[in-house]
Amino acid sequence: MSSQLLAIWEHARGSYWFLPSLMVVAAFGLSLASIAIDDLVGAQWLDESRWLYTNKAEGARTLLGTIAGSMIGVAGVSFSITIATFAQAAIQFGPRLISNFMRDRGNQAVLGTLLATFVFALMILRTIQASTESSPAFVPHVSILLALALSLVSLGMLIFFIHHIPESIDVSNMVARIGRGLDERLRALPEIDAEKIDILAREDSASEGFQICGDSCGYVLRIDESRLLRIACEADMVIRLDAVPGDFVRADETLASVTQAERVDEELRKRLAGAFVIGQQRSPTQDILFLFDELVEVATRALSPSANDIFTAIACMHWLGNALARGIDREFGFASQMDGSGSARLIGRCIPFEVVLDRVCDTLRPSAEKDPTAALQFLEMLAGLKDRQISVQQRNRLLDHVEALRSGSMLALRSPRDRQVVERRANTLIETLENRHE
């Protein structure tokens, strides 16, 4: 599957309409199958049952019409509630977090079940025929029982929906979902291999080749790693990535550079450029920094004067601290690849941990330093890294952020006691970090 088709598939699978559409199509197929079964078995089997009874055409129409009408009405109400939830989430948490609610399988399943029951009842309703002089009556009893069963399932889904909506907009649950997703992504990242990085760095410094540019501007959503590696092996070249998922690129900006420029024709250039998927907005599929940004955005909004939700900010910093400790020895960016003989074929662009740390701290610190509780939690977030295996460069960067937080809090906090508490904790952390490599 090409990278473009794969991106379309992932976008469709994560959209709000995908699962309901599949369930509606399944209901359409089920209605055809149940009608065929009714046509085959007839109504004689009901005579042997003590708790099932036959329906006449008029009663069956009334029953199915009631089911169809009620299902489409409830579907409309649930859709309205969902849209209102999205609007509230956009105001409270930020517009970039709406995609998390759109991908929620619970909301999709509820809407899909209601619409599928409506379509099924409507398809069965059209087949009911009263007895006439020219044709006998046809009442699909098996299909009617299935419609009743689907209506009971829909009732259960409605009860689930009433419980799920307030649960999904609970900020603690939302932050935890983002934090767990980020932790899983960090676990999957490869650990830093210094020897491999040195080999690839020598290959990178020795290679200057043909530049591959994109045909459109936007964010890099996805890079087809296997496709690039296959092309590099087939053409016996080295590909160096100049853009990684999450970068914004212009139409004439370099996406990748390749050696052996004389082997690059127009067809190969299109194949290489086709491995990069460009879109209008960032996606968490390969852009792990997007998840960091989501937690930082929720935290900064919680610390704003309009929200003043310190506990939400603390929860975000808990998950950010866990993510920073998990990722301190991982390779951020795009991993480099070698062929079977150990030769470098795909040289990725590594993002140093210090860049990730700066991205989190420099965005969050201006809001955290104005509140004593948030400032202390910010220091605890950084203190969680002191017991990890950190390099001198990482230690110095941590010291810079601790010092910046201390200086900012001394200017922003009004209470002498608050300033004293924050300064004491910052000094303790600075002393601990300074003693790490002495």
Side-chain angles (χ1 to χ4, degrees):
M1 184 181 293
S2 68
S3 56
Q4 294 288 346
L5 291 178
L6 188 60
I8 293 174
W9 164 250
E10 290 180 351
H11 176 73
R13 189 176 60 177
S15 62
Y16 187 63
W17 54 265
F18 180 71
L19 182 60
S21 299
L22 288 182
M23 297 178 72
V24 167
V25 173
F28 181 82
L30 180 62
S31 67
L32 298 179
S34 64
I35 291 171
I37 294 174
D38 274 307
D39 190 46
L40 180 65
V41 302
Q44 291 78 12
W45 61 278
L46 287 173
D47 298 334
E48 302 176 359
S49 176
R50 296 182 178 180
W51 56 280
L52 295 177
Y53 57 91
T54 58
N55 290 298
K56 292 185 179 181
E58 189 62 30
R61 287 198 187 99
T62 302
L63 177 62
L64 292 175
T66 302
I67 293 175
S70 59
M71 289 303 107
I72 196 63
V74 175
V77 172
S78 65
F79 183 75
S80 300
I81 294 175
T82 304
I83 294 299
T85 302
F86 290 167
Q88 179 64 28
I91 296 173
Q92 185 175 357
F93 309 128
R96 275 159 294 280
L97 271 72
I98 292 182
S99 59
N100 295 329
F101 296 94
M102 296 289 286
R103 291 192 298 265
D104 190 286
R105 293 302 186 193
N107 294 334
Q108 295 176 14
V110 170
L111 181 62
T113 303
L114 296 173
L115 294 179
T117 304
F118 167 75
V119 170
F120 183 85
L122 207 61
M123 292 295 297
I124 303 304
L125 182 60
R126 69 181 181 85
T127 65
I128 299 176
Q129 296 178 359
S131 177
T132 61
E133 295 180 357
S134 59
S135 61
F138 178 74
V139 179
H141 298 286
V142 173
S143 301
I144 292 174
L145 290 176
L146 285 176
L148 287 172
L150 286 175
S151 64
L152 293 176
V153 172
S154 299
L155 179 61
M157 293 300 289
L158 177 60
I159 297 173
F160 163 78
F161 180 74
I162 296 173
H163 167 77
H164 181 69
I165 281 294
E167 184 181 57
S168 64
I169 62 175
D170 183 271
V171 65
S172 299
N173 294 331
M174 185 198 64
V175 170
R177 283 195 298 268
I178 300 173
R180 289 195 183 97
L182 178 57
D183 187 68
E184 292 175 1
R185 292 286 304 280
L186 289 169
R187 287 174 182 268
L189 290 180
E191 293 185 2
I192 296 176
D193 187 343
E195 181 179 353
K196 178 181 176 181
I197 291 176
D198 290 340
I199 295 174
L200 294 172
R202 289 195 295 269
E203 293 279 354
D204 189 16
S205 61
S207 62
E208 292 183 3
F210 185 81
Q211 294 181 340
I212 305 298
C213 299
D215 298 325
S216 61
C217 61
Y219 292 97
V220 179
L221 303 182
R222 184 180 183 87
I223 300 177
D224 193 339
E225 173 186 355
S226 60
R227 182 178 184 179
L228 290 175
L229 184 60
R230 183 171 62 252
I231 294 174
C233 293
E234 292 174 354
D236 190 20
M237 60 175 54
V238 179
I239 301 175
R240 183 183 69 246
L241 297 179
D242 295 304
V244 294
D247 288 348
F248 184 86
V249 295
R250 301 184 301 272
D252 58 346
E253 191 169 350
T254 303
L255 299 176
S257 302
V258 299
T259 58
Q260 287 79 31
E262 67 279 359
R263 302 179 186 177
V264 182
D265 54 14
E266 183 61 22
E267 180 183 355
L268 184 58
R269 189 200 69 80
K270 290 182 178 180
R271 289 179 62 192
L272 290 170
F276 295 81
V277 180
I278 310 297
Q280 297 180 355
Q281 56 185 3
R282 294 170 61 190
S283 168
T285 303
Q286 289 186 349
D287 181 10
I288 194 171
L289 296 182
F290 181 76
L291 298 175
F292 277 99
D293 292 343
E294 284 190 325
L295 287 175
V296 171
E297 180 178 7
V298 175
T300 52
R301 282 178 172 267
L303 290 173
S304 65
S306 59
N308 194 23
D309 186 2
I310 184 62
F311 296 105
T312 296
I314 290 175
C316 291
M317 283 187 271
H318 284 158
W319 287 104
L320 284 170
N322 174 78
L324 291 173
R326 178 78 65 187
I328 197 169
D329 57 352
R330 304 285 175 169
E331 284 190 25
F332 288 89
F334 213 79
S336 301
Q337 299 291 332
M338 300 182 179
D339 58 16
S341 62
S343 300
R345 291 299 180 185
L346 181 62
I347 299 177
R349 202 186 82 189
C350 181
I351 301 176
F353 174 78
E354 293 81 7
V355 174
V356 181
L357 182 66
D358 291 346
R359 190 185 187 111
V360 172
C361 293
D362 290 340
T363 307
L364 183 57
R365 187 181 60 253
S367 300
E369 65 189 13
K370 300 175 183 178
D371 184 279
T373 306
L376 290 174
Q377 186 57 52
F378 185 94
L379 293 173
E380 292 302 321
M381 179 183 72
L382 299 181
L385 304 177
K386 71 180 189 306
D387 296 327
R388 308 286 292 181
Q389 293 295 328
I390 59 176
S391 64
V392 175
Q393 184 178 359
Q394 291 171 343
R395 184 205 66 170
N396 292 337
R397 193 61 60 89
L398 284 172
L399 286 171
D400 291 341
H401 288 297
V402 174
E403 178 60 35
L405 188 279
R406 181 178 66 176
S407 301
S409 295
M410 295 305 100
L411 296 175
L413 298 178
R414 297 182 178 180
S415 171
R417 183 181 184 281
D418 291 340
R419 292 196 298 268
Q420 182 181 9
V421 171
V422 172
E423 185 176 23
R424 184 188 305 120
R425 182 67 184 97
N427 291 337
T428 302
L429 182 55
I430 290 174
E431 182 180 356
T432 303
L433 290 172
E434 287 177 343
N435 294 333
R436 281 296 303 271
H437 293 275
E438 292 183 356

